[in-house]
Amino acid sequence: MMPLNSAQPIQEVEIISANDIELQKISKGLSLGLNQKEMEAVKRYFSQRRRNPTVVELQTIGQTWSEHCFHKTFKGSVITKKGKIQNLFKTYIAKATDELNLPWCISVFEDNAGIISFHEKFGIAAKVETHNHPSAIEPFGGAATGVGGVIRDILGVWADPIACTDVLGFGPLNYDHNKLPRGIKHPKYLFRGIVDGIGCYGNNMGIPTVNGAIYFDDSYVGNVTVYCGCVGLIPMDKFARNARPGDTILLAGGKTGRDGIHGVTFASAELTEKSEQIARPAVQIANPIEEEKLRRGILKIRDNELASGITDLGGGGLSSAVGEMAYRFKCGAHIQLHRIPLKHDDLAPWEIYISESQERMLLLVPNSSLADVLKIFGEEEVEATPIGKLTDDKILRINYADFEAAHLDIDFLFSPPRTERVARWNQPKSVEPIFPEPSDLNPYVLKLLSSPNIASKEKVVRTYDHEVKGSTVIKPLHGDFGGPNDAAIIKPLQDQWKGVVISCGFNPSYGRVDPYWMAASAIDEAIRNNSAVGGRRIALLDNFVWGSPEKPDRMGSLLRACEACYKFAKEFETPFISGKDSLYNESPLGPVTPSLLITAIGIIPDIRKSVSIDLKMFDNLIYVVGQSFAELGGSEYARLKKHEDGFVPKVRVPQAKYAMEGIVNAIDNDLVRACHDLSEGGLAIAAAEMAISSNLGLELRLNNIACAESVRRKDYLLFSESNSRFLVEVPMGKAPEFSRIMKKVPHSIIGKVTKDPHFCIYGLRNEIVIDLKVDELRRAWKSGLEQQYET
Amino acid sequence: MKLEETRVCILRVGGTNCDIETREAFQKSGAKAEIVHFNQLVKQQSLLDFNVLVIPGGFSYGDYVRAGAIWAKMLIAKLGNDIKRFVEEERPILGICNGFQVLVEAGLLPLFDGISPFPEAALGTNIPTGYNCRWVYLKHINHGSCIFTHKIPQNLVVRIPVAHSEGRFMFGNGKEEKCLEKLLENDQLVFRYCNPSGKFASGEYPTNPNGAFFDIAGICDPSGKILGLMPHPERSFFNWQRPDWTGEGSLCVHSDGKLIFDSVVEYLGRRT
């Protein structure tokens, strides 16, 4: 890296005369992350202008064209056996949304976050991000700034953050230290740091963390996975997006420093042994209180209608924020780099421009209200500095004192050469695992309950404040027993009963077998979790965590997942409103298991109708809704049996859709006392979790399960993870009405709630198959994570 | 002065984050409550324009040193005289969570012999350590001195959530017995952690969520006009905020925390 030369702070790079090898040397030497084709485009641009670029210009191009900022894989073309696909994003993800064309989608894939309508003039903004690479290097800072970043995305559409979510993927906590490659940190160390980091940011900012998941898988040892989400509330009549040339570009929040240099370039590369050394400066430092003050100022400015545009500073820092704002408003920009408040005064101009220091936002302010805006930030003790102006010439001009640091066409900056990827997919031959049915299934229920992916995450969830703001209606931990509710409900408006329903779906272990059904299952799971508490009118967010797109097999599986996203979003009528991809999750241990997180945002018209997981009253009936199949592939039971292959659960629309709609309809008609979706561990585990969450017991009969004639094994019936199924507690007197509402879906009464806290399941010949005390179940479920942690 | 004229000041600084819901709780109980930035109070307004001072929850100034310590010092340094008069005139002060930490750090609780120049108690890091967000049971044990709880019958068990990592109430080493005697003598004990049937936690986790001495969750000053507590009553105001309200039916509209706000509002009404 070049040190700052105060006599000649703006360095030029000889590119016009550079040959191919030299071009690559330049890209590597300046950590631009640009490939040959891209470097040639840069050379062409400057050759036409008969001058060499400055370092600031090259860095700006490198950041803007990075996978992280431009999503070139999703926007590029893909060559497959069947031909070429132009633009994965438009062909699959956005296509479902476009074709559904739903009136309640206000702003999709356009801003920092997707916006849907909520109540009268209020909208809901939602965004989910990943922060994998930083968290792998510095877990606390990486995770905390991941949360901080996604909160700024919500502020970046003028919304007030009302809830956070997080989904984490770790290697097994008891992973053998001796098997760790150099440079990879132990899952337990990562786990502790990441959980602390997430709690620190959300808690300190006073935003409840209400939904999420923790998943353990060997492929996360080298590729720890951190998804951070945020949901916000916004009065749409205050949504300002009308900037014009002449408006002041205002930088507000923390000072700019050397933390977070080349974060996006780092995020768009594989992790290696040297990542620690090279990339440590790429991880930012978190200060949640700074962001809290920033939030107060921004909301006040919004409510007084003083600004004309806003965006956050995230990946790429100023370079990305300024460019995107100018591009969005079809303007140019003139920036005075030397005005930016710095943490250390020896920062080189290019470092200032691409630094990803945290807790900074960019506002566009008409001159008439600049003084008021500065006053508001002053009152909140937030530093705010005018750093330039929008211009009318579509040129990005950057000055550093008297030196010209950059002079670039905005249009050039936003038209990188199209990336071309090759996709190859070989359908795996699924073989259903063959093993005899165990004679005693009781130990399997207990083992599954204490297995890391199913066991209670209470120890973690209690360290996140999920009650702050006093608006959490359905909580991640239910009641004194900490029952695992399927979704969270937030009541964001003081005098309205309407609620926001937040849930997620995540099935990476199916991804190993078939990414198509993994994606379909994640969509189904997110929607059914939402439906189980009473959520409807659901919008989806997609977050891909994948291996390197430069490798055809990873691209092939990505394409498979995208195909499922289109098909099932369309058929469920649940549009995607926002998404993000994190590719290049590769380490010396191999690629990450294809992981698609689907976040679902629904609404409930009256939160007083919400349904929770816990059993309510003995003698009430238990229904199973939805059809059960022999689908053990990727299931937790198969994992226990050491089988990774098999038929992964499929999604069968329209039946699946009828099941979701039926549940919501039944909830609206006050027929449902408790509801839980069937997911990891299947029917047995879902039933156990309902009992664990209450003081009551269950008595169930496997031979009463609807339309399961083809499945003749008790273990399959107990543990198969077929999608689109629910367990529902219905009062005896309401049974006829419930059955009537469910007539389009296979459903049946399989038992009842008992006063005695006993968990009893009868088999196909009415023999006792499972006979356990609810206390035993609870102990296994609650101690599972700790057992892992302590070994 | 009429109740409509009494003003509740909900004070905030950078890092305060429970001010909105605390204001709502006061408003729903019938009081006029405003959120005021500390700097505004220092520069433009006077604390003495208000009848009640509330220090809500959050992480004041980031709490990068002992929780509440920075704000407490600021409070005394910049508003010391006003605070002194506020206390002398027995105007009510409420500190919730971070607010309780601030009151203790500022020497305003337990207030054995007037405002203390140094903290007479502390809210130490939780045992077991770490942030802990959970609903707890509290037994109201005040005999009637505390104006914030006079509507709560003695020995009633209430449910209110805690969310903190520094909430272990304690006295200096060796001073515990003597201080406890004083608390008892002055009727300063208000809430203690207990199980659902009212049996005190005796330090047992998680019934006592932070290892607090004598299971103390909240105390008042000898006059009963200053209350500090770790649990968040503003998060236990409506029945739908309760952790298992879905099983309780809709028999009650409100939750237990409302009684605290109702008590002080009624007290203000009575004084007028």
Side-chain angles (χ1 to χ4, degrees):
Chain A
M1 296 206 182
M2 273 168 287
L4 176 63
N5 174 352
S6 49
Q8 188 47 262
I10 305 303
Q11 315 265 346
E12 279 188 8
V13 179
E14 180 59 49
I15 195 173
I16 299 180
S17 65
N19 62 26
D20 288 359
I21 294 167
E22 284 162 345
L23 283 179
Q24 269 316 298
K25 249 189 187 162
I26 294 168
S27 174
K28 228 174 168 170
L30 295 174
S31 302
L32 301 178
L34 297 176
N35 62 29
Q36 192 61 28
K37 198 167 154 192
E38 290 159 341
M39 282 307 288
E40 279 165 20
V42 175
K43 179 179 166 180
R44 216 161 31 244
Y45 177 82
F46 286 100
S47 300
Q48 281 161 7
R49 277 152 194 78
R50 296 203 184 87
R51 69 172 175 95
N52 277 312
T54 66
V55 177
V56 175
E57 285 174 325
L58 283 180
Q59 293 289 357
T60 303
I61 296 166
Q63 299 286 303
T64 312
W65 291 4
S66 68
E67 183 69 60
H68 186 95
C69 291
F70 202 79
H71 306 285
K72 50 196 183 191
T73 298
F74 267 81
K75 286 182 185 167
S77 54
V78 184
I79 298 165
T80 72
K81 267 189 207 157
K82 291 180 216 151
K84 202 166 179 177
I85 298 164
Q86 304 287 357
N87 200 321
L88 271 187
F89 170 71
K90 280 195 184 147
T91 310
Y92 296 108
I93 310 293
K95 191 175 170 199
T97 309
D98 289 345
E99 290 179 358
L100 288 168
N101 192 20
L102 293 159
W104 45 269
C105 290
I106 299 177
S107 167
V108 292
F109 301 114
E110 212 172 303
D111 291 288
N112 301 40
I115 305 174
I116 50 176
S117 69
F118 177 58
H119 180 79
E120 289 171 6
K121 63 174 188 173
F122 286 97
I124 290 289
K127 177 68 180 263
V128 180
E129 280 271 9
T130 44
H131 230 216
N132 304 346
H133 283 28
S135 305
I137 298 293
E138 206 281 87
F140 180 88
T145 55
V147 178
V150 78
I151 292 171
R152 282 198 308 283
D153 276 325
I154 294 301
L155 290 172
V157 293
W158 295 115
D160 186 9
I162 55 171
C164 285
T165 67
D166 60 86
V167 172
L168 311 176
F170 298 103
L173 293 180
N174 51 7
Y175 196 80
D176 185 355
H177 276 271
N178 299 320
K179 280 173 30 197
L180 275 183
R182 283 175 66 88
I184 303 278
K185 297 186 168 71
H186 193 269
K188 205 186 277 188
Y189 173 80
L190 294 172
F191 178 87
R192 199 178 288 180
I194 287 169
V195 165
D196 277 358
I198 286 171
C200 145
Y201 218 100
N203 296 354
N204 290 27
M205 266 198 81
I207 303 169
T209 302
V210 296
N211 185 256
I214 299 177
Y215 209 90
F216 297 94
D217 184 283
D218 274 348
S219 85
Y220 295 135
V221 172
N223 303 289
V224 67
T225 297
V226 177
Y227 295 95
C228 309
C230 188
V231 177
L233 181 74
I234 162 176
M236 288 316 299
D237 54 346
K238 303 286 186 191
F239 182 77
R241 192 165 55 184
N242 50 2
R244 282 187 300 194
D247 285 0
T248 295
I249 301 172
L250 187 74
L251 178 64
K255 288 189 197 309
T256 300
R258 206 164 264 133
D259 47 326
I261 301 279
H262 284 141
V264 299
T265 325
F266 164 54
S268 311
E270 298 179 15
L271 285 177
T272 66
E273 193 185 315
K274 292 198 180 111
S275 294
E276 167 85 33
Q277 202 184 342
I278 299 167
R280 187 60 191 81
V283 185
Q284 310 93 345
I285 297 162
N287 182 3
I289 302 309
E290 187 63 43
E291 195 149 308
E292 216 290 313
K293 295 190 288 185
L294 201 50
R295 180 188 76 91
R296 300 253 186 187
I298 286 168
L299 296 182
K300 229 190 266 180
I301 290 160
R302 171 194 80 184
D303 290 343
N304 289 300
E305 303 179 30
L306 296 173
S308 56
I310 186 169
T311 195
D312 78 309
L313 275 79
L318 274 171
S319 71
S320 151
V322 169
E324 277 171 25
M325 288 304 254
Y327 186 66
R328 179 181 303 164
F329 293 109
K330 301 188 171 54
C331 292
H334 192 175
I335 299 292
Q336 310 288 338
L337 221 43
H338 52 277
R339 289 204 189 149
I340 291 157
L342 302 179
K343 290 182 184 172
H344 346 267
D345 54 13
D346 63 339
L347 253 69
W350 68 268
E351 288 181 304
I352 301 174
Y353 201 54
I354 68 165
S355 159
E356 296 175 8
S357 288
Q358 289 291 292
E359 290 93 25
R360 299 180 303 159
M361 297 287 292
L362 201 69
L363 280 79
L364 300 175
V365 184
N367 293 327
S368 55
S369 49
L370 185 58
D372 292 335
V373 167
L374 291 174
K375 182 165 173 272
I376 287 172
F377 278 130
E379 284 166 1
E380 295 298 333
E381 302 180 309
V382 172
E383 192 165 1
T385 317
I387 60 161
K389 280 190 186 301
L390 286 186
T391 59
D392 57 7
D393 56 4
K394 295 182 100 177
I395 290 172
L396 171 68
R397 264 188 218 89
I398 303 173
N399 271 77
Y400 182 78
D402 296 333
F403 302 92
E404 180 161 80
H407 188 112
L408 287 169
D409 291 289
I410 297 282
D411 286 335
F412 163 71
L413 206 48
F414 284 88
S415 47
R418 188 172 272 259
T419 302
E420 207 169 71
R421 306 276 192 222
V422 178
R424 200 173 50 227
W425 174 252
N426 298 318
Q427 182 68 34
K429 288 189 196 73
S430 274
V431 191
E432 198 55 14
I434 302 167
F435 55 87
E437 181 168 357
S439 56
D440 183 4
L441 289 165
N442 283 302
Y444 287 90
V445 170
L446 294 175
K447 263 190 226 165
L448 281 170
L449 279 170
S450 64
S451 70
N453 287 340
I454 292 174
S456 170
K457 309 297 183 296
E458 177 168 353
K459 248 197 134 55
V460 170
V461 178
R462 294 252 178 250
T463 69
Y464 304 151
D465 194 340
H466 45 269
E467 300 277 4
V468 60
K469 287 185 191 289
S471 58
T472 316
V473 177
I474 293 291
K475 307 168 198 296
L477 300 171
H478 191 87
D480 284 346
F481 298 117
N485 277 320
D486 287 322
I489 300 185
I490 296 281
K491 178 183 170 300
L493 294 168
Q494 283 185 2
D495 297 310
Q496 293 297 336
W497 289 115
K498 209 177 221 178
V500 183
V501 187
I502 305 166
S503 62
C504 66
F506 192 56
N507 298 294
S509 58
Y510 305 166
R512 203 191 328 275
V513 186
D514 188 340
Y516 182 86
W517 291 115
M518 179 272 281
S521 297
I523 292 172
D524 189 276
E525 186 184 17
I527 299 172
R528 78 180 182 255
N529 276 329
N530 218 285
S531 309
V533 301
R536 78 286 316 264
R537 209 212 65 182
I538 289 163
L540 303 179
L541 289 86
D542 60 285
N543 284 81
F544 292 85
V545 167
W546 238 259
S548 167
E550 291 164 30
K551 296 173 186 166
D553 60 325
R554 328 290 204 244
M555 252 340 265
S557 79
L558 185 64
L559 193 61
R560 288 276 297 163
C562 286
E563 285 167 0
C565 282
Y566 167 69
K567 178 175 157 66
F568 291 98
K570 179 88 188 289
E571 291 188 346
F572 277 117
E573 292 177 77
T574 50
F576 287 105
I577 57 163
S578 171
K580 197 86 195 255
D581 51 283
S582 164
L583 311 176
Y584 296 96
N585 290 282
E586 305 248 355
S587 77
L589 290 169
V592 73
T593 298
S595 303
L596 172 66
L597 169 67
I598 297 289
T599 306
I601 309 290
I603 55 169
I604 182 164
D606 187 337
I607 56 113
R608 290 170 295 186
K609 298 254 187 191
S610 350
V611 167
S612 58
I613 182 174
D614 54 319
L615 299 172
K616 303 296 189 307
M617 189 66 188
F618 56 88
D619 289 344
N620 277 350
L621 303 174
I622 296 294
Y623 273 85
V624 64
V625 171
Q627 195 169 350
S628 306
F629 299 88
E631 293 175 317
L632 286 190
S635 70
E636 287 296 322
Y637 179 59
R639 191 198 291 259
L640 217 57
K641 284 284 185 188
K642 306 263 187 282
H643 284 273
E644 299 225 322
D645 213 0
F647 301 117
V648 292
K650 293 197 163 86
V651 177
R652 297 154 181 98
V653 196
Q655 278 214 342
K657 191 157 177 266
Y658 296 150
M660 318 284 182
E661 288 167 352
I663 290 292
V664 173
N665 194 348
I667 289 174
D668 285 352
N669 284 289
D670 296 321
L671 310 178
V672 177
R673 297 307 318 278
C675 183
H676 191 24
D677 86 308
L678 273 62
S679 54
E680 286 93 352
L683 183 140
I685 297 307
E689 287 174 343
M690 292 179 86
I692 286 167
S693 309
S694 73
N695 265 321
L696 301 163
L698 279 174
E699 191 184 290
L700 306 176
R701 288 171 196 279
L702 294 182
N703 57 8
N704 287 356
I705 295 178
C707 301
E709 290 75 20
S710 61
V711 193
R712 297 324 297 166
R713 270 176 65 163
K714 299 184 293 276
D715 56 345
Y716 283 29
L717 286 168
L718 288 169
F719 306 125
S720 165
E721 297 181 4
S722 298
N723 282 307
S724 326
R725 296 183 300 159
F726 299 88
L727 281 177
V728 190
E729 179 188 350
V730 179
M732 189 94 74
K734 310 250 182 181
E737 207 182 336
F738 185 80
S739 294
R740 194 175 50 73
I741 283 181
M742 287 299 164
K743 65 175 182 293
K744 282 164 130 179
V745 199
H747 65 276
S748 57
I749 297 168
I750 58 161
K752 62 172 187 178
V753 182
T754 59
K755 194 173 182 180
D756 179 26
H758 224 88
F759 187 69
C760 199
I761 302 181
Y762 294 87
L764 298 168
R765 294 184 310 278
N766 269 331
E767 76 283 20
I768 291 184
V769 179
I770 304 292
D771 183 17
L772 291 161
K773 288 199 184 91
V774 172
D775 260 352
E776 288 176 82
L777 301 176
R778 193 177 291 126
R779 236 187 340 264
W781 182 68
K782 287 219 175 197
S783 62
L785 197 60
E786 256 157 281
Q787 277 172 18
Q788 274 264 315
Y789 198 77
E790 275 153 23
T791 45
Chain B
M1 196 169 50
K2 290 177 186 156
L3 181 59
E4 304 85 71
E5 285 164 17
T6 62
R7 292 171 72 190
V8 178
C9 170
I10 297 170
L11 203 56
R12 73 171 175 101
V13 292
T16 301
N17 60 33
C18 302
D19 45 325
I20 308 269
E21 52 269 37
T22 307
R23 176 179 64 186
E24 190 192 5
F26 271 101
Q27 287 172 338
K28 289 263 151 71
S29 289
K32 211 173 136 194
E34 316 160 43
I35 296 167
V36 185
H37 196 287
F38 179 68
N39 294 352
Q40 210 178 318
L41 207 55
V42 171
K43 287 179 198 154
Q44 293 152 11
Q45 282 173 287
S46 167
L47 177 62
L48 298 169
D49 295 341
F50 294 91
N51 309 91
V52 181
L53 171 64
V54 182
I55 304 185
F59 290 75
S60 48
Y61 298 110
D63 275 348
Y64 290 125
V65 295
R66 235 167 38 238
I70 304 174
W71 198 5
K73 294 288 173 273
M74 297 278 278
L75 204 61
I76 297 302
K78 301 216 166 165
L79 294 177
N81 290 333
D82 286 0
I83 293 277
K84 196 162 169 255
R85 231 181 102 189
F86 212 89
V87 173
E88 280 165 7
E89 292 173 5
E90 297 197 352
R91 301 194 203 186
I93 302 177
L94 174 62
I96 301 168
C97 193
N98 190 224
F100 186 18
Q101 294 161 341
V102 170
L103 293 180
V104 169
E105 288 288 337
L108 292 165
L109 276 177
L111 208 77
F112 287 138
D113 301 295
I115 300 176
S116 167
F118 52 86
E120 292 177 294
L123 289 150
T125 45
N126 293 354
I127 297 178
T129 52
Y131 199 89
N132 201 330
C133 174
R134 66 168 67 240
W135 282 72
V136 293
Y137 295 89
L138 304 169
K139 195 167 187 172
H140 177 238
I141 48 164
N142 193 262
H143 289 78
S145 79
C146 183
I147 58 126
F148 288 93
T149 58
H150 69 86
K151 285 180 83 100
I152 306 175
Q154 203 189 337
N155 292 328
L156 188 78
V157 175
V158 294
R159 284 180 93 180
I160 299 179
V162 292
H164 59 251
S165 51
E166 293 173 55
R168 180 166 47 102
F169 185 86
M170 58 192 207
F171 289 111
N173 231 344
K175 294 183 183 164
E176 293 95 341
E177 289 310 308
K178 228 171 165 187
C179 290
L180 180 62
E181 241 168 66
K182 275 197 215 172
L183 288 180
L184 288 164
E185 203 174 295
N186 300 335
D187 193 21
Q188 286 182 259
L189 287 171
V190 182
F191 290 116
R192 287 179 64 193
Y193 300 110
C194 66
N195 72 9
S197 50
K199 190 171 165 281
F200 292 121
S202 303
E204 195 179 312
Y205 181 84
T207 313
N208 174 339
N210 50 35
F213 168 65
F214 202 57
D215 304 322
I216 290 175
I219 60 164
C220 63
D221 75 314
S223 79
K225 307 298 187 302
I226 306 176
L227 171 67
L229 74 169
M230 286 316 295
H232 285 271
E234 78 281 12
R235 301 184 190 177
S236 174
F237 196 89
F238 304 104
N239 80 312
W240 53 262
Q241 291 172 321
R242 292 164 78 84
D244 42 19
W245 67 273
T246 48
E248 292 175 339
S250 41
L251 293 172
C252 58
V253 180
H254 290 104
S255 183
D256 304 337
K258 182 171 190 287
L259 293 169
I260 291 177
F261 301 97
D262 283 352
S263 295
V264 62
V265 170
E266 193 186 285
Y267 167 81
L268 293 169
R270 248 189 301 162
R271 263 202 346 173
T272 58

